[in-house]
Amino acid sequence: MKSFWLKYTATWFGSGLSPKAPGTAGSLATLPFVYALALVGGWQAVLAFALAVSVLGVFAADAYARQLGKEDPGCIVIDETAGQALTLLAAGTDWRLYVVGFALFRLLDITKPGPIGWADRRLHGGLGIMADDIIAGLIGALILWGIKIYIF
C-alpha cells in the first residue's frame, strides 16, 4: 500500500505516467485543483497547497526516484504540480490567466533560464527534483502578476 501512495503522489495521481509529455500532463492535472482552491479559499489556499506540495514533493520525489533507481525520472511530476500552483497564485479564477500561466510555467520549466537551470544542474535528490520547478513557479508568478496588473 505504501508503494501505491508513493507512486501516485510522485506522479500526481498518475498524470506523470503519460507516455508523451509527462511534465505537461502533470501541469494540466494541477489546474483543476488550483482552480477549486482559488474558488473556495482564494490565493491563500493556493499558497498553502503549493507549500504543502513542495514539502511533500521533496520526500515523495526522493523516495520514488530511489525506488526506480533513477536520478530524475520523467514520470515524477509532483514538482510540476508545485511549480504550476505557484505560478497560478496571481490567476485567481480568471481562465485567461490560467491559460497564460500554464504556458508561462511550461516555457520556464522547459527552457530553464538563469537560476532555474542552475538548480536543475547543481541540486540532487528530492530537493533537486523539486527546486528548479519551484523557482520556475516563483518566477512565473511574478511575471503573471505583472501581466494581470498591466494587461488584464
Side-chain angles (χ1 to χ4, degrees), residues 3 5 12 19 30 43 51 54 56 62 83 91-92 120 123 137 141 147-148:
S3 181
W5 287 111
W12 194 244
T30 301
W43 68 267
L51 293 174
S54 294
L56 175 65
D62 186 64
D120 185 56
L123 301 175
I147 290 170
K148 180 179 181 176

Side-chain angles (χ1 to χ4, degrees), residues 44-150:
Q44 298 93 335
V46 175
L47 179 60
F49 171 74
L51 293 174
V53 169
S54 294
V55 172
L56 175 65
V58 170
F59 298 103
D62 186 64
Y64 196 55
R66 280 189 283 118
Q67 184 176 314
L68 295 176
K70 297 180 180 177
E71 189 164 324
D72 188 357
C75 65
I76 294 176
V77 295
I78 195 166
D79 51 336
E80 273 81 8
T81 299
Q84 185 67 77
L86 287 168
T87 294
L88 294 174
L89 276 169
T93 56
D94 186 333
W95 68 268
R96 299 168 303 167
L97 290 172
Y98 276 72
V99 171
V100 173
F102 171 77
L104 180 60
F105 174 71
R106 293 308 303 142
L107 177 67
L108 290 168
D109 186 33
I110 291 166
T111 61
K112 300 191 185 314
I116 302 165
W118 178 88
D120 185 56
R121 291 185 304 275
R122 302 286 176 116
L123 301 175
H124 304 285
L127 180 62
I129 291 170
M130 296 297 295
D132 64 309
D133 292 88
I134 291 169
I135 295 167
L138 292 170
I139 292 170
L142 292 173
I143 295 169
L144 191 62
W145 198 283
I147 290 170
K148 180 179 181 176
I149 290 170
Y150 293 107

